[in-house]
Amino acid sequence: MEILEISNLSLSINGSHILNNLSVKFEKGLVHAVVGPNGAGKTTLGFAVMGIEGYTEYTGDILYKGESLASMNIYERAKKGITLAWQEPARFEGLTVENFIKSSIKNKGRDVVEDALEKVGMNPDEYMLRAVDKGLSGGERKKIELASILAMETELVILDEPDSGIDVASLQNIFSAIKFLKSNGSTVILITHSLEVLKRAEHAFLLCHGTIIAEGSINKISKYFGGKCIPCDHKNIPEE
Amino acid sequence: MSVEELIKAAGIHEAVNDKNTGRLIINRDKVVDSNVIPGLVIDAKEIKDGVDINFILKENTIIENPVHLCFGVTDKEAIQKIIMNVDIRKNSKISLIAHCVFPNAVDVKHIMDAKVKIGKGSKYSYFERHIHNEEGGIVVIPKAYIDLEENSRFKTEFELLRGRVGTINIDYEITCGKASVMEMTTRINGRGNDYINIKESGNLVGERSRGVLTSKIAVRQNAKANIFNRMIATGDYARGHVDCKEIIQDNAVAKAIPIVEVRNPKARITHEASIGSVDSKQLQTLMSRGLSEDESVELIISGLLS
Ligand SMILES: Nc1ncnc2c1ncn2[C@@H]1O[C@H](COP(=O)(O)OP(=O)(O)O)[C@@H](O)[C@H]1O
Ligand SMILES: [Mg+2]
């Protein structure tokens, strides 16, 4: 059963076509990857699903559990069960890690926050009271954002380049967090151009020039990374 | 009983019950309670509409527990004028927490006129917390001139987050001697027709003196804030930083006029300012975690002002 169905999605910004008649379905409970070169439109696709400012004027439709998201703002989409982790997480001056993560879980307690931090390999004693601002590295903020999403326990999780800025040692924490999301029943969309991240998915899509040009097993889509792309209208269709 | 009311409004029961914690509680123009501890000399004289205080910390005195000052007014209408002469003699250390509480104020003017001298090698920290009511009828005019001698450290924070601001007009000037360090932070949350005017000046005169002026202001509804921060470096290797963050909502207006002036090629001052609405990436991140727009704004502002 699909949880998210996108049909004929086209999105232009300042006259340039970013997404072109894109259609794709995401299965409930699966870990998906959307791969493609820089500038293909991966982030734009994620933003359109989340309803980020500047990415809501599109044609075509985005259905979440059969319901169109078109008229919903970010908050309403989050209430329905969608969330997104940014490639570059925001900085929140003065806001503590504890209060940041707590905000996403409303009435749950401190132990949920600690547990989420541990899941991404961060020591709660060391981080809880620090602010989510420039005192933390980009990689640390990325893990904290992921922790807030783990704590949230929501249905559809979009992770934009989850490995960017993450050191080799912490990469395993990111991967185990993806596993946790899966085991918890969440549907995951990994936006990535990394083969390592692609390998964590169960099903993959290749996005090129704003449209999905191939989908299938990880094996099939990973050929794209082997430089086996052949010339095509989209410049980048992988060999079968 | 006014003492009880002030202690309650300031939330300082614990400090008041501890014999080893110094304190001075003033209601309008009367000293209503005090506890002077060894090394400290407090001479408070009642004057017309206020109190004139000589505050001396003797040489080589380290006071561990923060000393509590309470400048309160329990009346609805009053003028309170506090004159403070602070003399921290050399190689000493103290921290003061000043509670400014006006629980019943409808029309109250609180004027503070302070001269502070921090002696060689001493450390002084002063935290002033205002707790106002919802009337908006308070006018606060704090003025301070601070002089830092060699190797001294000075840290001050002014906080007005609870209740309506009313009108506030801060005017602080500080001169930093050789290798001294100062940090001045102001955090204010304004709404209604609150009016916030802040003028802070740092003079980095001494060689290797350092200073940071930080203002964090949130204004909403019809509130107005003007921040005039000025830092001047004349000493060799003096280092300064001016940081101003203001978040505005609704019809509020915020202005920042920073002046950084360096008169010595070996000195350096940096400056950072941001004024405007809540950052959209922060806002959208929180909304994507299931917070409404209003809840998100509240959380972002509470972080900034914390
Ligand atoms: N807000 C925007 N304004 C202008 N161009 C944009 C904007 N967002 C994305 N684009 C453009 O759309 C294309 C796809 O961007 P993006 O979705 O970020 O790609 P990817 O994530 O696949 O690297 C790029 O050419 C990018 O410059
Ligand atoms: Mg991207």
Side-chain angles (χ1 to χ4, degrees):
Chain A
M1 192 190 74
E2 63 267 358
I3 188 166
L4 185 70
E5 181 176 358
I6 297 173
S7 44
N8 308 314
L9 184 67
S10 294
L11 191 151
S12 303
I13 298 175
N14 301 330
S16 53
H17 302 291
I18 316 289
L19 299 179
N20 297 307
N21 213 24
L22 180 155
S23 295
V24 61
K25 289 177 184 173
F26 297 93
E27 289 293 315
K28 186 171 163 51
L30 275 195
V31 178
H32 308 80
V34 175
V35 299
N38 286 329
K42 305 182 296 297
T43 295
T44 302
L45 176 62
F47 282 1
V49 175
M50 191 71 245
I52 299 296
E53 193 182 319
Y55 298 83
T56 53
E57 297 292 314
Y58 50 74
T59 60
D61 215 350
I62 305 177
L63 301 181
Y64 178 71
K65 296 184 183 172
E67 188 180 6
S68 173
L69 296 177
S71 65
M72 295 183 204
N73 67 24
I74 304 176
Y75 165 61
E76 289 159 337
R77 294 179 198 211
K79 285 273 155 211
K80 294 271 175 196
I82 306 173
T83 195
L84 174 140
W86 301 63
Q87 175 169 355
E88 280 280 333
R91 294 171 178 177
F92 294 86
E93 185 163 348
L95 183 61
T96 62
V97 169
E98 178 174 8
N99 288 340
F100 172 65
I101 298 178
K102 258 192 184 155
S103 72
S104 66
I105 54 172
K106 294 255 153 83
N107 300 316
K108 291 184 240 171
R110 192 189 151 92
D111 49 327
V112 179
V113 178
E114 291 179 346
D115 188 47
L117 282 171
E118 276 162 7
K119 282 204 180 80
V120 296
M122 299 180 103
N123 179 0
D125 294 337
E126 190 182 330
Y127 284 99
M128 289 286 262
L129 297 178
R130 289 176 66 181
V132 191
D133 58 23
K134 57 190 169 194
L136 295 173
S137 73
E140 285 172 316
R141 273 183 285 117
K142 229 166 141 79
K143 286 192 276 179
I144 286 161
E145 198 180 16
L146 186 55
S148 88
I149 284 175
L150 296 182
M152 205 181 159
E153 302 197 308
T154 198
E155 287 178 277
L156 176 64
V157 175
I158 305 168
L159 303 178
D160 196 354
E161 311 279 4
D163 62 331
S164 76
I166 298 288
D167 59 57
V168 184
S170 300
L171 215 48
Q172 290 312 320
N173 298 126
I174 303 295
F175 295 153
S176 70
I178 294 169
K179 268 193 189 151
F180 170 79
L181 287 168
K182 158 94 186 162
S183 70
N184 217 18
S186 300
T187 305
V188 180
I189 301 176
L190 303 170
I191 289 174
T192 185
H193 58 248
S194 138
L195 183 57
E196 276 301 300
V197 175
L198 170 61
K199 283 181 184 163
R200 268 65 201 179
E202 299 164 280
H203 191 79
F205 301 95
L206 176 56
L207 180 60
C208 181
H209 285 244
T211 200
I212 301 288
I213 57 164
E215 74 168 286
S217 67
I218 304 318
N219 217 3
K220 173 179 165 186
I221 299 300
S222 65
K223 288 185 182 156
Y224 159 80
F225 289 95
K228 290 184 181 165
C229 288
I230 54 167
C232 66
D233 284 350
H234 297 100
K235 301 191 186 84
N236 275 321
I237 282 186
E239 258 174 51
E240 284 295 321
Chain B
M1 234 321 245
S2 71
V3 191
E4 292 306 322
E5 195 177 355
L6 292 176
I7 289 170
K8 184 167 173 244
I12 51 172
H13 304 87
E14 256 179 60
V16 169
N17 288 328
D18 179 6
K19 285 193 169 43
N20 300 318
T21 296
R23 69 176 181 276
L24 175 68
I25 302 181
I26 290 170
N27 186 16
R28 192 171 176 166
D29 51 3
K30 300 263 178 306
V31 175
V32 289
D33 186 40
S34 69
N35 181 38
V36 178
I37 52 176
L40 200 59
V41 179
I42 301 178
D43 173 23
K45 202 166 73 215
E46 291 167 8
I47 55 171
K48 184 181 182 300
D49 290 331
V51 181
D52 184 342
I53 305 162
N54 267 314
F55 187 102
I56 299 166
L57 182 65
K58 292 181 181 164
E59 273 183 40
N60 303 314
T61 310
I62 310 289
I63 295 194
E64 293 296 347
N65 293 347
V67 171
H68 289 261
L69 307 174
C70 178
F71 304 121
V73 174
T74 51
D75 299 308
K76 283 186 180 169
E77 294 174 15
I79 293 178
Q80 180 185 49
K81 187 168 183 187
I82 306 288
I83 298 174
M84 278 268 269
N85 258 300
V86 177
D87 183 4
I88 307 299
R89 309 251 161 101
K90 62 184 177 187
N91 297 322
S92 294
K93 183 181 160 194
I94 189 168
S95 93
L96 304 182
I97 304 178
H99 309 263
C100 298
V101 292
F102 315 95
N104 312 310
V106 177
D107 181 8
V108 167
K109 194 182 214 175
H110 166 85
I111 302 166
M112 162 79 79
D113 213 331
K115 279 202 177 60
V116 181
K117 195 181 96 180
I118 314 299
K120 253 187 177 180
S122 285
K123 288 185 184 168
Y124 176 84
S125 97
Y126 181 84
F127 178 45
E128 179 165 327
R129 171 181 284 144
H130 279 246
I131 301 177
H132 291 189
N133 58 20
E134 296 301 320
E135 296 284 338
I138 301 173
V139 177
V140 178
I141 310 177
K143 196 172 168 174
Y145 183 81
I146 302 131
D147 191 16
L148 304 188
E149 291 190 344
E150 197 174 326
N151 276 315
S152 64
R153 280 168 179 265
F154 174 88
K155 185 176 174 175
T156 181
E157 267 188 67
F158 182 99
E159 177 193 288
L160 202 174
L161 304 179
R162 283 157 66 185
R164 285 276 311 280
V165 172
T167 297
I168 185 155
N169 214 328
I170 293 179
D171 184 355
Y172 287 169
E173 182 169 356
I174 182 160
T175 299
C176 303
K178 188 174 168 183
S180 65
V181 181
M182 69 92 158
E183 270 176 74
M184 218 181 247
T185 304
T186 311
R187 294 177 290 127
I188 302 177
N189 193 5
R191 62 202 138 88
N193 58 355
D194 288 345
Y195 180 77
I196 299 160
N197 203 56
I198 300 176
K199 198 173 141 222
E200 290 175 344
S201 277
N203 304 308
L204 302 171
V205 175
E207 88 179 67
R208 284 180 292 109
S209 57
R210 285 184 283 145
V212 182
L213 298 176
T214 306
S215 314
K216 297 177 177 190
I217 312 293
V219 275
R220 68 183 79 182
Q221 295 164 350
N222 296 308
K224 287 192 172 52
N226 299 318
I227 318 293
F228 305 90
N229 278 334
R230 181 160 175 248
M231 183 90 86
I232 303 176
T234 45
D236 282 357
Y237 307 107
R239 293 283 179 272
H241 182 66
V242 178
D243 192 349
C244 177
K245 298 225 164 57
E246 296 179 73
I247 292 185
I248 67 159
Q249 290 175 265
D250 312 321
N251 299 314
V253 182
K255 227 194 258 183
I257 306 173
I259 297 178
V260 295
E261 187 176 325
V262 179
R263 300 184 190 161
N264 183 328
K266 291 175 181 160
R268 190 177 143 87
I269 299 175
T270 51
H271 163 241
E272 201 181 324
S274 78
I275 303 179
S277 65
V278 171
D279 177 74
S280 79
K281 192 170 186 175
Q282 296 175 14
L283 184 66
Q284 295 188 83
T285 298
L286 295 177
M287 288 174 75
S288 76
R289 300 299 132 76
L291 274 74
S292 68
E293 184 165 348
D294 287 350
E295 290 169 331
S296 304
V297 168
E298 281 307 314
L299 189 63
I300 292 165
I301 290 177
S302 76
L304 176 79
L305 296 177
S306 70

